[in-house]
Structures are given as structure tokens and as C-alpha cells.
């Protein structure tokens, strides 16, 4: 069973209450996956430690607007997910059109 550990977002060894590092990673992921991110709210969700390994993942929900820059690449990102935690159910994209 995975053990839950405290959420941490750090920049240069110091706490990052604005989640600057996570926002930067999402922006970078967007550039490589066919979208640009706008006005994102970051909501820490949980942090998981994998059983019998030193590996842990910080999880967060990102809520905001994005602009599609490459429809085919974005479609693949929705199907396959983004980021390095995909094998653990992270990196899923849920999209809705703005009306």
C-alpha cells in the first residue's frame, strides 16, 4: 500500500507557496503537447510514496484556460497523458470548450 506524505513544492531548497515550479513544468509540458496555459489555479492534491522505493510523487490539480496551438499534438496528449507520473494515474487532461 502506498504511503501518503506531505505536499511539498520547493524552489532552490525553499518552500514555494505560489507553486512557481509546478506552473513552469505545466507551461513546459504545454509547449511540447500542443497547448499554451493561461490563468491556472494550482490545488495540491496529495503526495504518494511508492511501496518499497524511495520514489514519491507530488500531485496537484491544475484548473484554468489553455489555448490549443497544435490540434493533433494536443489530441495525443489527451489520449496519452502528460508528465512523468502517467504510469501512476497522473498527467490526465480533461478539456471543455469555452462557450
Amino acid at each position: 500500500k502506498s504511503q501518503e506524505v506531505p505536499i511539498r513544492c520547493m524552489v532552490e531548497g525553499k518552500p514555494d507557496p505560489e507553486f512557481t515550479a509546478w506552473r513552469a513544468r505545466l507551461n513546459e509540458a504545454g509547449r511540447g503537447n500542443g497547448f499554451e496555459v493561461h490563468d491556472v489555479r494550482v490545488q495540491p492534491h496529495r503526495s504518494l510514496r511508492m511501496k518499497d522505493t524511495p520514489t514519491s510523487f507530488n500531485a496537484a490539480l491544475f484548473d484554468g484556460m489553455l489555448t490549443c496551438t497544435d490540434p493533433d499534438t494536443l489530441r495525443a496528449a489527451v489520449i496519452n497523458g502528460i508528465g512523468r507520473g502517467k504510469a501512476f494515474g497522473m498527467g490526465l487532461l480533461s478539456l471543455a470548450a469555452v462557450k
Side-chain angles (χ1 to χ4, degrees), residues 46 48 50 55 57 84-90:
R46 64 178 182 226
L48 301 173
M50 299 298 117
T55 304
F57 292 94
R84 61 184 181 187
K86 294 181 297 214
F88 303 101
M90 298 181 201

Side-chain angles (χ1 to χ4, degrees), residues 38-73:
H38 310 281
D39 301 321
V40 171
R41 181 176 61 139
V42 180
Q43 191 175 7
H45 185 56
R46 64 178 182 226
S47 187
L48 301 173
R49 185 169 307 281
M50 299 298 117
K51 182 179 178 180
D52 299 327
T53 71
T55 304
S56 67
F57 292 94
N58 291 313
L61 301 173
F62 294 90
D63 186 28
M65 304 286 287
L66 67 79
T67 301
C68 177
T69 57
D70 182 336
D72 292 331
T73 304

